[in-house]
Amino acid sequence: MNTYYYWPYDEVTVELTETQDKLNLTTPWMQASLPVSASNRPAAVELVEKFGSGTLSAQDIPFITSLFEVVRLYPFCYILPTPKHGDRPETMDVPKLLDHDLVDSGPLDLLLATLQNSSPEFGPSEAEIRQLFSQLNRQEWEWDAEAALEFSILGERIHPESLFSVIRRFHLLEVMENDKGSEIFQKIESLPKSSFQVAAGLLIRQNHYVTEKCQTSLAAALDTAGQARKRVEEFMAEEKGHDRILDVALKAITDEPQSIPVTSSTQILMHLLKYVAGRNFLAFSMVIDIFERSSFQSMDPLASLLLKGGFEKAARQISRHKDINDAGGHENVGVSFLAFMAPCDKAYAREAIRLAELVSLVFNSITASVWSLYCEKSRSL
């Protein structure tokens, strides 16, 4: 069992309640409250003061870790790079870079490289990739790979869980800055009933396609998982059949579900997942976190939208899908895959960062691509 130590994300603020029995944690993406006992209250008061003055130091790590251990499953903290598996590093998998072709590639070149060895039935064309790339929120790398590597370094190598925690934060910031989901959902909510139905059907179909292609994409990781193979197999088993749940939701929206198209963005996203899974297991773990990370809301935003539009049966299926994932702890399955991975070399880690950033960019383009497709369909009517 690995022991982890935590350090709060840069965006975390802390505040004691008036009764000083709870410590409220706030980030732009979620909030939580930690219990404060009488015995650790003085340390909590001191911690809040240090947060406010920006004077936290390495001496505070033990107390920070003891507090944040309660919320370790949620994105509040970095994982600090510390030795793994005690004195038995020989028991861990040592990941190896397949080649150096992608390490210094730009986003477009990296995206085009995924076409190599792609299957005709499950691979986009070069034209589709170039068109998608032109529609992304940006065309250059922005995640600070060097800072991420520096934070996660352990000796001469990179601690996988530590780097994972940095990339998790980068993705959440990416969502905040570039995902247009909330804005587009508001537009859909205001549509007339018939138009709402068309737009909602498009949204559900993208989710349905993701679940349809899930097993094919995930299976590629079985060759790169090493000792984590069993965990990947368990995850695949838990994901199996989710397409049937989404199929029920889709049929609650339309009598002709097969007529609802899948956007190029969604198809390329699942193609990317398969490519990453078969190439870089650290990147795969990061990407699974992107796929499984929730909206931190009590109800799935799509389910909430469907309820507002009067499609209760479809909403129930979307909520059911979320509940199954929540019950299975899927939000944190990505980091669990890394328990057996030894610290890796910088080139392997840098490739993982760029693959995860690319997936994050495509992931955050899906809702906008659905809206564009809906607008095209509307103009053609």
Side-chain angles (χ1 to χ4, degrees), residues 7-8 10 12 14 46-58 60 64:
W7 190 260
D10 305 45
V12 172
V14 298
E46 183 180 0
L47 182 68
V48 171
E49 291 175 352
K50 287 185 174 182
F51 256 92
S53 61
T55 56
L56 286 175
S57 69
D60 299 305
I64 288 173

Coordinates of all heavy atoms in Angstrom, one line a residue, residues 7-8 10 12 14 46-58 60 64:
W7 N -0.8 18.3 -0.6 CA -0.6 19.8 -0.5 C -1.8 20.4 -1.3 O -2.1 20.0 -2.4 CB 0.7 20.1 -1.2 CG 1.1 21.6 -0.9 CD1 1.0 22.6 -1.8 CD2 1.7 22.1 0.2 NE1 1.4 23.8 -1.3 CE2 1.9 23.5 0.0 CE3 2.1 21.6 1.5 CZ2 2.5 24.3 1.0 CZ3 2.6 22.4 2.4 CH2 2.8 23.8 2.2
P8 N -2.4 21.5 -0.7 CA -3.6 22.0 -1.4 C -3.3 22.7 -2.7 O -2.2 23.3 -2.9 CB -4.1 23.1 -0.4 CG -2.9 23.4 0.4 CD -2.1 22.1 0.5
D10 N -3.5 25.4 -5.7 CA -3.3 26.8 -5.6 C -4.7 27.6 -5.4 O -4.7 28.6 -4.8 CB -2.7 27.3 -6.9 CG -1.4 26.6 -7.2 OD1 -1.4 25.3 -7.1 OD2 -0.4 27.2 -7.6
V12 N -7.3 26.6 -3.7 CA -8.0 26.2 -2.5 C -8.0 27.4 -1.5 O -6.9 27.9 -1.2 CB -7.5 24.9 -1.9 CG1 -8.1 24.7 -0.5 CG2 -7.7 23.7 -2.8
V14 N -9.4 28.3 2.6 CA -9.9 27.6 3.8 C -10.5 28.6 4.7 O -10.0 29.8 4.8 CB -8.9 26.8 4.5 CG1 -8.4 25.6 3.6 CG2 -7.7 27.6 5.0
E46 N -4.3 27.9 13.2 CA -3.0 28.3 12.7 C -2.9 28.1 11.2 O -2.4 28.9 10.4 CB -1.9 27.5 13.4 CG -0.5 27.9 13.0 CD 0.6 27.1 13.7 OE1 0.2 26.2 14.5 OE2 1.7 27.3 13.4
L47 N -3.5 27.0 10.7 CA -3.5 26.7 9.3 C -4.3 27.7 8.5 O -3.8 28.2 7.4 CB -4.2 25.3 9.0 CG -4.2 24.8 7.6 CD1 -2.8 24.5 7.1 CD2 -5.1 23.6 7.4
V48 N -5.4 28.2 9.0 CA -6.2 29.2 8.3 C -5.4 30.5 8.2 O -5.4 31.2 7.2 CB -7.5 29.4 9.0 CG1 -8.2 30.7 8.4 CG2 -8.4 28.2 8.9
E49 N -4.7 30.8 9.3 CA -3.9 32.0 9.3 C -2.8 31.9 8.3 O -2.5 32.9 7.6 CB -3.3 32.2 10.7 CG -4.4 32.6 11.8 CD -3.8 32.7 13.2 OE1 -2.6 32.3 13.4 OE2 -4.5 33.1 14.1
K50 N -2.1 30.8 8.2 CA -1.0 30.6 7.3 C -1.6 30.6 5.8 O -0.9 31.1 4.9 CB -0.3 29.3 7.5 CG 0.5 29.3 8.8 CD 1.3 28.0 9.0 CE 2.3 28.1 10.1 NZ 3.1 26.9 10.3
F51 N -2.8 30.1 5.6 CA -3.4 30.2 4.2 C -3.5 31.6 3.9 O -3.2 32.0 2.8 CB -4.7 29.4 4.2 CG -4.7 28.1 3.6 CD1 -4.5 27.0 4.3 CD2 -4.9 28.0 2.2 CE1 -4.5 25.7 3.7 CE2 -4.9 26.7 1.6 CZ -4.7 25.6 2.3
G52 N -4.1 32.4 4.8 CA -4.3 33.8 4.5 C -3.1 34.6 4.3 O -3.1 35.5 3.5
S53 N -2.0 34.3 5.0 CA -0.8 35.0 4.8 C 0.2 34.4 3.8 O 1.3 35.0 3.5 CB -0.1 35.1 6.2 OG 0.3 33.8 6.7
G54 N -0.2 33.3 3.3 CA 0.7 32.6 2.3 C 2.0 32.1 2.9 O 3.0 32.1 2.2
T55 N 1.9 31.6 4.1 CA 3.2 31.2 4.8 C 3.2 29.7 5.1 O 3.9 29.3 6.0 CB 3.4 32.0 6.1 OG1 2.2 31.8 6.9 CG2 3.6 33.5 5.8
L56 N 2.4 28.9 4.4 CA 2.5 27.5 4.6 C 3.9 27.0 4.2 O 4.5 27.5 3.3 CB 1.5 26.8 3.7 CG 0.0 26.9 4.0 CD1 -0.9 26.2 2.9 CD2 -0.3 26.2 5.4
S57 N 4.3 26.0 5.0 CA 5.7 25.5 4.7 C 5.7 23.9 4.8 O 4.6 23.3 5.2 CB 6.6 26.0 5.8 OG 6.3 25.5 7.1
A58 N 6.8 23.3 4.5 CA 6.9 21.9 4.6 C 6.6 21.3 6.0 O 6.1 20.2 6.1 CB 8.3 21.5 4.2
D60 N 4.1 22.0 7.7 CA 2.7 21.9 7.8 C 2.1 20.6 7.0 O 0.9 20.3 7.1 CB 2.0 23.1 7.2 CG 2.3 24.4 8.0 OD1 2.2 24.4 9.2 OD2 2.8 25.3 7.3
I64 N -1.7 19.1 7.2 CA -2.4 19.2 6.0 C -2.9 17.9 5.5 O -4.0 17.7 5.1 CB -1.6 19.9 4.9 CG1 -1.5 21.4 5.2 CG2 -2.3 19.8 3.5 CD1 -0.5 22.2 4.3

